Amino acid sequence: MSRLRKIFATDSYIVPLVAILLGFLVGAIVMLFGGYDPIAAYSALFKRVFGSPYDFGEAIREMTPLMLTGLAVAFAFRSGMFNIGADGQVMIGMTAASVVGIKLGGVLPSFLLVPLAVIAAAVCGGLWAGIAGYLKAKRGINEVITTIMLNWIALFLSNYIVRTFLLLQGQNRSEDNPASLSMTFLFSTFDNARLHWGTVIALAAATFFYVYLWKTKQGYEMRAVGLNPHAAEYAGMNVGRNVVKAMFISGVFAGLAGAGEVLGVFHYQSVFAASPGYGFDGIAVALLGLTHPLGVILAAILYGTLTYGSAGMSFGADVPPELIRIVIGSIIFFIAAQGIVRWVLKPFYFKRKKEKVL
Amino acid sequence: MDFVVLGQLLNTTLVFSTALIFASLGGIFSERSGVVNIGLEGLMMFGAFAAAVGGYYAQDAGMGEWAPWVGVLCAMAVGVIGSLIHAVAAITFKADQTISGTVINFLAAGSTLYMVKLFFEGSGETPLIDGFSKMAIPGLSKIPVIGEGIFNSYPTTYLAIILVIVIYFVLFKTPFGLRLRAVGEHPSAADTLGVNVNKMRYIGVMLSGLLAGIGGATITLTTTGTFAHNTISGQGFIAIAAMIFGKWNPLGAFGAAVFFGFSQAIRNYVQLFEWSKSIPQEFIFMIPYVLTIIVLVSAVGRSSAPKALGEPYDPSKR
């Protein structure tokens, strides 16, 4: 309890909150310059998300992969690596879930099929990221460059597998996947919004993230390597092994995001014309969440609300939905450049101290 | 394959490489000064957008053949303004440089499309404009293969090649280059010798915005003719790869950019061969990326990033 109070007593939450407010303010100014009504736009945004059970359910659906890719990027970040490759790891996870689900669909009963497809997605996503980790550990190759390359390779490899082995006749997508993560029992409550178990998996993953990194010896090593690899090595830790392990776990999170999308939302896999961009959203979510699992969950909620609601903004107030990226970008900017926020807050702090004196 | 095809392949390679050359040169300026620049993608987006809009209005005003150059100027200006966001956050406010670079990518993706829709009545794309036309160099363009391949290119390609050499000399043979590299390797030592660390870093980041802006402009003015959401799609990240691949050296980055350009160009030409029909197209598309990893694995020596890369300079920690 005292720790909880400590978290909320320091200004660790004030800076993000002020940053969010400033981000909305920047968005409003940009809207005013464009001749739009910011109040109408923002209220349309929130009305879209909270206006109907269906939209609320769909917004939760939107948040789910964001949480997992956010955790993936954040986990790698904590271990001292920048994983730009969550996008490719998501695609590999999708493909693994598709192959297992479709190829073993008639063979296995669903209580075995679904977990197997999810595990395949997680492991394959992890191994894909592990390649970058291995190359960094063994050959000292910058993970930024390998994960960028692996994103493209994953895109083409996934397309090849879907096109060659899983294609639905005459369509640009796979057959329907018999494995399903859908939460069908909730469908009537949320007016058939596509809610799925991936959300529960994401919350479990965040819990694992926290417990593993802060409550286990292995997690301690991983953080030590992330903070200072040389010191960690001097203390007798195996830096290379930690790098590979961290990337593997990071990829597992991303792979799970892919499983959720294929098995919970679409129930098939398309041939992608270009990278779907899950990984880049994940970078934003991880940064917004200050690479802490709880922060990532909150950031995914914020990010999901804003992106899902932005469609409503364009219907309700005619504002181009791209505006929301300016808002999100500004929020990350203010969180990163905390000096600006503290500078904005300075007069308030000063006042408060004065009151205390009186 | 005859020589005509070879010349065309070389020519297409250079068309695809040009934007990457500009952007990776930009990245080198920023990172040599000690500031990570993940934002190249966004800076290219700013440039591509400004070139499309500036070029459109210049063409509308009847500037004819000069219109694309107006586009390039706009791209340079907008690229510099965009890079200032990164510079202020990363240098003045000591933000994490990876994060503030990512901010550029976000702001660019959002604001360019927002403005396109604002300027062109809700359309997701700028109107098609006439970009640069190819410029044959008298005499040299008559040489077989190389004439068709190199000396009959867009003016931006010539500019890129010249800049590679100029920037190499600026970085390694001038006092300015020495200072820039010094603040990226050992800022406190440079500070002791009277070099203004933050000023040099601002210059490095702004030059990266300028060059990445031209890189983006190259894409709209030679390849696509318009700006839309997918105009850049990953080219900035490839430019980062080219910079790292080329070990933060203009000549190396040039080689890497040409390598990526070649692997993009080869897609169109491989299909001319009979044997290529037995290979799934996806595997042909994969070639450049797989090759990059293989080359990195087999290349000798570790990557040699500037030593102070990513660290904000804090004089009190000297």
Side-chain angles (χ1 to χ4, degrees):
Chain A
M1 194 60 208
S2 67
R3 187 182 300 137
L4 203 71
R5 198 177 299 135
K6 209 163 83 192
I7 291 173
F8 287 100
T10 57
D11 58 358
S12 68
Y13 77 102
I14 291 181
V15 170
L17 275 184
V18 174
I20 291 169
L21 283 177
L22 288 174
F24 276 105
L25 195 66
V26 170
I29 292 168
V30 173
M31 278 192 261
L32 284 175
F33 270 113
Y36 302 110
D37 178 357
I39 296 172
Y42 284 138
S43 49
L45 187 156
F46 287 105
K47 210 150 93 199
R48 158 89 180 198
V49 178
F50 301 103
S52 76
Y54 172 79
D55 282 319
F56 188 62
E58 281 289 296
I60 293 175
R61 190 236 348 121
E62 180 110 10
M63 290 164 197
T64 305
L66 294 170
M67 271 180 213
L68 283 163
T69 52
L71 290 172
V73 177
F75 195 87
F77 224 96
R78 286 275 173 189
S79 331
M81 275 167 295
F82 193 35
N83 180 7
I84 308 194
D87 219 44
Q89 294 140 27
V90 170
M91 268 183 286
I92 292 295
M94 283 180 161
T95 311
S98 294
V99 169
V100 171
I102 293 169
K103 288 295 171 193
L104 299 178
V107 189
L108 292 175
S110 110
F111 72 91
L112 281 176
L113 180 68
V114 177
L116 198 66
V118 172
I119 291 168
V123 171
C124 291
L127 290 176
W128 196 254
I131 298 173
Y134 177 81
L135 290 175
K136 175 161 182 133
K138 285 281 175 258
R139 316 281 312 195
I141 300 170
N142 191 311
E143 77 280 7
V144 170
I145 184 167
T146 40
T147 48
I148 292 171
M149 298 301 135
L150 286 169
N151 277 345
W152 291 95
I153 299 172
L155 170 70
F156 298 128
L157 185 64
S158 300
N159 281 353
Y160 170 73
I161 292 172
V162 171
R163 230 168 40 86
T164 317
F165 302 107
L166 308 172
L167 208 62
L168 184 70
Q169 279 271 293
Q171 303 254 0
N172 223 8
R173 68 171 179 89
S174 76
E175 299 167 30
D176 285 327
N177 197 325
S180 169
L181 274 175
S182 292
M183 289 173 149
T184 26
F185 62 97
L186 283 175
F187 278 8
S188 54
T189 326
F190 285 94
D191 216 3
N192 283 326
R194 295 165 290 176
L195 289 160
H196 59 86
W197 285 99
T199 315
V200 179
I201 294 176
L203 295 173
T207 316
F208 168 80
F209 186 133
Y210 179 77
V211 172
Y212 183 81
L213 221 49
W214 279 280
K215 302 289 169 204
T216 70
K217 185 172 156 259
Q218 293 179 355
Y220 173 79
E221 279 198 12
M222 215 162 264
R223 281 184 297 130
V225 169
L227 288 171
N228 189 338
H230 303 295
E233 184 152 29
Y234 186 68
M237 296 170 189
N238 186 335
V239 173
R241 199 174 59 202
N242 273 298
V243 163
V244 178
K245 205 157 62 180
M247 280 306 274
F248 178 81
I249 295 173
S250 169
V252 163
F253 291 143
L256 287 171
E261 292 297 280
V262 158
L263 306 177
V265 182
F266 297 109
H267 302 292
Y268 62 80
Q269 186 174 345
S270 312
V271 173
F272 291 103
S275 139
Y278 289 105
F280 298 99
D281 294 339
I283 295 173
V285 169
L287 299 179
L288 276 176
L290 304 172
T291 66
H292 188 283
L294 181 64
V296 167
I297 292 175
L298 296 174
I301 291 171
L302 175 72
Y303 194 109
T305 305
L306 292 180
T307 44
Y308 189 75
S310 65
M313 210 170 63
S314 71
F315 288 127
D318 215 23
V319 178
E322 286 77 22
L323 176 98
I324 221 63
R325 290 195 154 237
I326 303 179
V327 174
I328 293 170
S330 312
I331 296 173
I332 304 176
F333 175 81
F334 289 118
I335 288 182
Q338 300 203 350
I340 296 178
V341 175
R342 287 182 209 281
W343 179 73
V344 169
L345 287 177
K346 219 171 164 185
F348 300 99
Y349 275 122
F350 188 62
K351 214 188 259 167
R352 208 168 62 185
K353 269 185 193 145
K354 232 184 188 169
E355 277 166 7
K356 266 183 196 160
V357 174
L358 290 172
Chain B
M1 173 150 58
D2 54 38
F3 285 133
V4 179
V5 177
L6 210 59
Q8 284 170 355
L9 177 62
L10 185 57
N11 199 279
T12 322
T13 296
L14 284 180
V15 170
F16 284 128
S17 318
T18 305
L20 296 175
I21 297 172
F22 281 119
S24 57
L25 287 174
I28 289 173
F29 267 118
S30 169
E31 301 219 338
R32 279 283 181 178
S33 80
V35 182
V36 176
N37 205 338
I38 292 286
L40 286 184
E41 174 91 2
L43 294 170
M44 285 183 86
M45 241 180 247
F46 276 130
F49 159 79
V53 174
Y56 170 76
Y57 285 113
Q59 197 174 312
D60 222 29
M63 299 187 70
E65 289 206 351
W66 291 102
W69 288 110
V70 175
V72 170
L73 283 178
C74 295
M76 287 159 71
V78 175
V80 170
I81 295 170
S83 71
L84 274 174
I85 302 171
H86 183 37
V88 168
I91 302 168
T92 306
F93 287 97
K94 300 184 175 25
D96 184 302
Q97 297 173 359
T98 314
I99 301 182
S100 67
T102 309
V103 167
I104 300 276
N105 294 339
F106 257 80
L107 289 179
S111 60
T112 53
L113 276 177
Y114 176 78
M115 284 189 278
V116 166
K117 288 188 175 172
L118 207 63
F119 288 172
F120 303 104
E121 279 103 35
S123 162
E125 198 173 343
T126 62
L128 197 67
I129 54 167
D130 301 326
F132 287 112
S133 19
K134 288 189 177 167
M135 219 168 76
I137 294 187
L140 292 174
S141 59
K142 295 283 181 286
I143 307 171
V145 185
I146 296 176
E148 164 72 18
I150 301 174
F151 297 110
N152 191 17
S153 299
Y154 293 110
T156 39
T157 303
Y158 301 131
L159 181 64
I161 294 172
I162 295 168
L163 274 181
V164 169
I165 300 161
V166 169
I167 289 173
Y168 178 81
F169 274 96
V170 167
L171 269 182
F172 295 106
K173 310 283 176 201
T174 66
F176 168 79
L178 182 66
R179 289 189 196 118
L180 191 86
R181 285 182 294 127
V183 301
E185 294 286 335
H186 208 312
S188 50
D191 193 4
T192 316
L193 294 173
V195 178
N196 186 333
V197 174
N198 283 358
K199 190 178 127 197
M200 289 310 288
R201 289 188 167 179
Y202 262 91
I203 293 173
V205 173
M206 283 160 80
L207 282 173
S208 83
L210 185 123
L211 288 164
I214 305 179
T218 310
I219 292 178
T220 41
L221 295 173
T222 64
T223 321
T224 61
T226 64
F227 175 80
H229 72 99
N230 59 355
T231 301
I232 301 300
S233 69
Q235 296 282 308
F237 287 105
I238 301 279
I240 293 172
M243 171 188 69
I244 300 176
F245 205 13
K247 300 194 168 177
W248 290 268
N249 182 317
L251 303 178
F254 171 76
V258 171
F259 169 72
F260 283 117
F262 172 74
S263 27
Q264 269 174 293
I266 195 116
R267 284 182 199 177
N268 310 334
Y269 289 93
V270 155
Q271 283 142 4
L272 296 175
F273 297 104
E274 199 54 41
W275 53 261
S276 74
K277 298 205 166 57
S278 55
I279 302 173
Q281 55 170 1
E282 281 90 355
F283 286 99
I284 294 171
F285 291 166
M286 258 184 234
I287 294 171
Y289 311 108
V290 175
L291 222 61
T292 304
I293 293 181
I294 292 173
V295 171
L296 277 173
V297 169
S298 49
V300 279
R302 304 204 147 202
S303 54
S304 47
K307 282 199 186 60
L309 189 61
E311 292 169 14
Y313 178 56
D314 184 354
S316 63
K317 274 190 186 162
R318 240 188 321 209

